[in-house]
Amino acid sequence: MTNKAIGKLLSNPTPATDDTIDPAIPVDKWSDCREGIYFRQAGRIGFWQKKSTKGGDSYDVMAFLTINCDCIIIQQLLLDDGLSQEVVFEISTKNTRVGLLQTITVPSTQYQSMAWLMKHYGALAIFEADQATARKLAIAILMLSGEIPITIVYTHAGWRLIKGSWQFLTTSGAIGADGLDESVRVDLGCGNMAKYALPAPGKNPANVDALLSFLTIAPNNRAIGAALFCAVIRAVLGECLPTDFSVMFVGKTGCFKSESAGLAIGCFGEFLGKGFPANFEDSQGNLGLKSHQAKDLLWVADDFKAGSSIQQTHENNAKFDFIARGAGNQAGRGRLTNTSTAMAAHFPRCLSLITAEMTPSGGSALARTLTIDMQGGDISDTVMTDFQHARRKGETRAVMANFIQWLAPRMDELKKNYPAMVERLRAEAHNERSKNDETHRRTVDIYAQLVGAAEVFIEFAHDVGAINTIRSERLSAEICEALSLSMKAQDQYRTANDEVDRFVALLRGCFSSGECYVVSHTNQGPPVSHPHTWGWRAVSEGGDLAGRGQLIGWISEDKAEIWLEPEATFKTVQKFAAAQNDPILINKATLFKRVLERGLLASFEIVKNGIKRPDVHQSVGGRRPRVLKFNVDLITEPEKKPAEPEQHREYTDD
C-alpha cells in the first residue's frame, strides 16, 4: 500500500471491511488482539459496530479510529506519598510511521480526555479530536492493554512498613534488615531531590569514624560539629518521634556554613557540591512539598538573607516561618480542590537545616530552631578537606546505610524507647537549669532530642564493635557539653527577635531620635523633668521646647507613668521599624496582648467575662481615651522590673 493510500485510510473513520487491510503491512506484537468490541490490527485500533440492512437484519462491520499511532498501558502506578495515593498510567506509544515513541506517565484524572497525546507527542500523535472519538479511544486502549500490572511507587523517602517489615526508602530502593531491595520503586521528582540515594549496606559496619569526624570539624566552636552530627542521626529517627524543630547556621559569606551543610546532607545522597534540594528562591508551596517528601532525611534550605525590598524580606521570613512552624506543629496548610474536597496538607517530615546570612524575624519560630552562629576560622580546613574526600568516596553514605540496616529490626522497640529517652533527658536538663528561668522549654526539648539521637548511634557503634565502652562514655560527655554551649546562646537569638522586646527597644528609639513625644497630663506641655527623654527639643539654642514627631500620649510625673494611645503608638513604632527594613510582624492587638502577658503594663482592666484588657480608660485633657499605662522606668531604667500592675474591673453589659 502506498503512503497516499495509508494516509487516506488513516483519515477515513468510516466502516471498513477485511479487504481494506493491506496484508503487506507488517504485523507487530499488538496485532490481532481483540477485547469486547475493540481490536487491534496491523498497528491500528478499531471497533466492531452494527449495521442494519433495509430488511431489518444486522451484521458486524469493522471501523477504525482516526489516529496515526497505537498506545498500550504497560502498567498502572500507585503513587504513595504517605498521606494520599494517586493512580497514573505508564503508556507506551507507537507511531505508524516512525515506530516506538517515548514512554510517558499520565495521571488517571487526565487520561479520559486524551489531551496527553498532543501534550507529549505533538504531531506524532494525531487523532480526530471530537469528544466521542476521544472517549472511545480511551476505553479501547484500556481494554486492549490486557491485564495491567499494578506497581506501587513511593513518592517520599524515609521509613515505611512494607510487607510487615520496616524499610528505609531512598531513590536507590529500600534498606531493611536484609540489605538493599532495589525492586522497591521510589520517585522523589526531578532536580536535586533525586540525589537522595543510599548504597547497599557493606559487610563491615565498624567504620563509623567517617561520621564521628563531624565532632572535630570546628575545634573553635564545638557546637557546630555536635549539631551537624546529631542532626544527621536525629533525622533518621523521625519515625520514632516526629522531628518538630529545625537547625540553622547563621554567618556571613565565607564561613563555610553551606559547605558544612553539604557535608551533612552528603550522608544521605550524592550531594557533592552546593546543589541543595531547596533554597529561599523556591516558592512556599514548593518548599512544603519537598520537605514533605524528604521524610526522615536531613533536608537543606539554603541561603536565607535579607531581600532587596521590604516585600521580599517579608516573603523570606514567611518561608522560614512556614518551615519552622510546620515542623513544630507537624501540620501544613489545608486546602480544598475546586470541588471542595480536602487536599493532603504537606508539612516538613524531615529535619530542616537552614543556612542564613542573618537571623530571621519571629521569636516563636526561632524558639523552634537550634541556631548556631558561625564565624570565619571556626571550621578546620584540614578536617573539612578530609571530610570532603570521604564524602566523594561515599564513606559517609556507607556508614549511614549500615546504621539504617541496624535500626530496621529495632524500629518497633525504638518507637517506644526513644521518646522515653528524650523525656528522661528533657527532665534532667530542666532540673539542671531550674535556676535559669530564661531557658526556653523548646530549647531544652531540642537538646534532649539531639542528645538522645547521639546515644542511639553510640549504641550502634558499640554494638558493631566500632568503639569500646570508654570511648562511648567520652563521646556522650563531649556531645552533651558541646550542645550545652549552643543552648546558652539560644535565648539571645529568641530575645533579639521577640516582638515584645523589639517593641520596647523601638519605643525607646522613637523617643531618643525625636520620632515621638508625650505631653504632661496637667498642662499639655513639656514634662518638668528630663523633657529631652520624652521627645522634646529646643526650637533654637536657648529657645522654647517643642515636641518632635508624633504625639502618642501623656506623662504623669507624680505617678511616674506614661499613658500611650495604642493606635498612635503602634503606628509610630511600626513606621520606625519599617524604616530599618525590619517591620513588626504581628498586629496591634496581638502585640499589646503579649505586652500585658509579659507584665510590662502598670495597669489593665478585667472585663465582665474575666478577660484581661491591656488598655484602660483615663481622664486626661478633657477626654477619656483608652490608653496603655507603663511605668516611666520602662524607658528610663530598662533594667528595673515594673511594679505589680494595678487591676481595674470594668463591668459591661452582655
Side-chain angles (χ1 to χ4, degrees), residues 15 343 347 542 594:
M343 299 175 62
F347 60 90
R594 292 181 181 175

Side-chain angles (χ1 to χ4, degrees), residues 183-245:
S183 66
V184 177
R185 290 186 57 175
V186 181
D187 183 2
L188 300 182
C190 57
N192 291 325
M193 288 293 293
K195 294 181 179 179
Y196 281 113
L198 288 174
K203 296 181 179 180
N204 179 22
N207 182 24
V208 300
D209 285 330
L211 276 187
L212 292 175
S213 297
F214 273 123
L215 299 176
T216 60
I217 198 171
N220 298 327
N221 187 353
R222 290 179 297 154
I224 295 174
L228 285 169
F229 171 73
C230 294
V232 168
I233 305 306
R234 175 64 183 95
V236 300
L237 299 177
E239 180 65 34
C240 304
L241 181 67
T243 307
D244 58 358
F245 67 94

Side-chain angles (χ1 to χ4, degrees), residues 239-259:
E239 180 65 34
C240 304
L241 181 67
T243 307
D244 58 358
F245 67 94
S246 304
V247 176
M248 180 169 61
F249 288 134
V250 180
K252 64 180 182 180
T253 301
C255 64
F256 296 118
K257 58 183 183 296
S258 293
E259 185 58 38

Side-chain angles (χ1 to χ4, degrees), residues 1 79 131 145 154 227 313 369 429 482 488 548 592 618 633:
M1 181 179 289
L79 305 184
Q131 292 184 356
S145 295
Y154 298 99
T313 301
T369 306
K488 294 177 181 179
R548 296 289 300 274
F592 293 145
Q618 177 63 47
D633 54 20

Side-chain angles (χ1 to χ4, degrees), residues 65 144 284 385 394 443 521 547:
L65 294 169
L144 294 175
Q284 186 168 303
T385 301
T443 304
H521 81 291

Side-chain angles (χ1 to χ4, degrees), residues 425-468:
L425 291 168
R426 182 170 56 237
E428 292 175 357
H430 274 305
N431 292 335
E432 292 177 4
R433 299 175 181 273
S434 59
K435 297 180 181 180
N436 183 7
D437 296 333
E438 296 298 321
T439 302
H440 199 285
R441 284 187 170 271
R442 288 187 181 273
T443 304
V444 178
D445 185 65
I446 293 172
Y447 167 84
Q449 293 189 46
L450 292 175
V451 171
E455 291 295 332
V456 173
F457 185 84
I458 290 172
E459 181 185 350
F460 154 72
H462 185 274
D463 190 50
V464 299
I467 59 177
N468 55 29

